[in-house]
Every structure is written in structure tokens, then in C-alpha cells.
């Protein structure tokens, strides 16, 4: 439907369905000439090898159908810690962003830094977002758990046209001074150190959820299932 409407369509998947060449082709065949690209997650969080058999089968099937393929591989915290010292991650790996499940499961292994230094959002263009995420409940996210509207209540076009970053209670402070400003602005209790900007941002947002339930949802993004 999105392809018919003229959107460039991509999928992110762990390719669990690509257990054989036949299964991989069967799963991707309906997307032929509709899907622009597929990004396959494959790393030691998803499988017990860096490039899984499923990732290889999915890539082969996508190639056969003319669908561009990319791989998303996330480094383990110990490798990310090395990157913070040497400035280089192992080839093809990207660093953990400490939000959601990554905070619950991995932050204890991460190097930590003073909270005041996280004075900008390093990953999202919050003022002029070039993309948004849509979850199965209809929430439109700038970043996972940071919501600007609900497409079950309002059309996407209207949400985008009326989005005012400065008056958004979370985005406003983030633009003014990153996650550290979120803490200052709302006088939030905090620790001395955090793993990265997203870790501080996530913890600050979690502390603000009762106050801003419309902007900080759904529960699943905050580890509540
Ligand atoms: S968690 Fe916060 S700091 Fe990290 S990308 Fe999202 S909005 Fe930016």
C-alpha cells in the first residue's frame, strides 16, 4: 500500500523467516518491485554468529529480486568502550545506543561519562526530522518512545504540519541543551555518570512519563510489557 502511494519502502528485519533459500524467496516474493531495500539485523544479540545463515539467505533472495540489502550489526559494549578510546569500531559494526532494552541489559558493561557533557542529541534531527517511526499502536515517534502524534487520531500530514519542536515538552529542552538540559529543566534526580546521551535521555524521559503520557509512550518502549 505504501509503495502504491509513492513512498520509498524499506524493511528492517532479523530475517528469522529465511531458514532456507526456498523460504527466503517465498517470504520476499510478494515484495518484488515494491520494496526498495531491506536491512537485516545480524549480530551476536540476534544469533550465535555475526553473520547468520538467515541473513545470508535473505540477502541472496533479495538480490535475486532486485531488492537492495544492508546489514545492521551492533557491537558489544566492550567493543564500544574500545571505540570511545581509539575512535574506531571493528569493521561493519555500529555502537550500542543505550535506550530501551539496551539500558536494562547492557549498560552495566559500558564505560560511563559525566552527565553534563551530554548536551546535544547525537542521532536525530529533532527540529527538521527527515524520518519518523510508526509503531503498531499508531504512535508516531521521533526517536523510540518520543512521540509527536497518533495517526489513529490525526492524519500523518496534519501531525507533520502542526509539529512545533520548541513547544514540545521534551523536544524543546532537548534542542536547548540535549539530555542534560532535560534533567536541568525538570529538576530531575540523576546519577553522576551515564553511558551515552541516549542513556541519560532515556532515564530522564522515563522519569517524566507520568507527567507527559501523551509524548512518552507506549509502555513497551520503556521496558513495561
Ligand atoms: S534517545 Fe534522546 S539523545 Fe538519543 S537519539 Fe533519541 S532523542 Fe536523541
Amino acid at each position: 500500500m505504501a509503495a502504491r502511494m509513492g513512498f520509498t519502502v524499506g524493511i528492517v528485519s532479523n530475517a528469522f523467516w529465511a531458514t532456507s533459500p526456498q523460504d527466503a524467496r517465498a517470504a520476499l516474493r510478494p515484495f518484488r518491485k515494491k520494496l526498495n531495500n531491506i536491512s537485516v539485523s545480524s549480530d551476536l544479540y540476534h544469533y550465535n554468529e555475526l553473520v547468520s545463515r538467515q541473513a545470508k539467505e535473505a540477502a541472496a533472495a533479495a538480490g535475486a529480486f532486485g531488492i537492495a540489502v544492508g546489514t545492521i550489526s551492533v557491537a558489544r559494549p566492550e567493543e564500544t568502550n574500545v571505540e570511545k578510546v581509539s575512535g574506531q569500531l571493528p569493521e561493519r559494526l555500529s555502537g550500542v545506543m543505550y535506550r530501551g532494552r539496551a539500558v536494562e541489559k547492557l549498560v552495566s558493561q559500558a564505560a560511563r561519562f559525566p552527565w553534563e557533557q551530554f548536551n546535544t542529541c547525537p542521532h536525530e534531527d529533532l527540529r527538521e526530522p527527515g524520518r519518523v517511526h510508526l509503531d503498531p499502536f499508531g504512535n508516531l515517534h521521533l526517536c523510540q518512545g518520543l512521540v509527536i502524534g497518533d495517526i489513529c487520531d490525526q492524519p500523518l500530514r496534519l501531525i507533520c504540519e502542526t509539529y512545533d519542536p520548541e513547544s514540545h515538552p521534551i523536544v524543546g529542552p532537548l534542542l536547548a541543551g540535549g539530555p542534560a538540559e532535560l534533567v536541568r529543566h525538570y529538576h530531575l534526580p540523576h546519577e553522576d555518570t551515564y553511558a551515552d546521551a541516549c542513556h541519560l535521555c532515556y532515564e530522564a524521559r522515563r522519569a517524566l512519563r507520568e507527567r507527559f503520557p501523551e509524548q512518552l509512550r507506549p509502555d513497551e518502549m520503556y521496558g513495561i510489557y
Side-chain angles (χ1 to χ4, degrees), residues 99 121-124 126 143 146 174 179 197-198 201 205:
R99 51 199 188 198
C121 164
H123 301 297
E124 303 288 349
L126 300 172
C143 173
L146 178 54
L174 282 175
C198 296
C201 182
R205 288 195 272 128

Side-chain angles (χ1 to χ4, degrees), residues 71-85:
T71 308
I72 302 174
S73 294
V74 176
R76 289 167 298 158
E78 46 276 36
E79 292 165 308
T80 313
N81 294 345
V82 169
E83 181 262 346
K84 280 174 183 149
V85 176

Side-chain angles (χ1 to χ4, degrees), residues 203-217:
E203 295 293 10
R205 288 195 272 128
R206 190 151 62 164
L208 289 166
R209 288 197 69 212
E210 265 189 36
R211 196 157 160 193
F212 301 111
E214 293 300 308
Q215 290 83 9
L216 299 172
R217 58 184 182 175

Side-chain angles (χ1 to χ4, degrees), residues 15 42-44 65 83 100 117 119 126 130 132 137 153 157 176 178:
S42 184
D43 50 38
L44 297 176
F65 291 141
E83 181 262 346
Q117 77 175 55
N119 54 16
L126 300 172
V132 286
F137 309 109
D153 291 340
R157 182 185 296 275

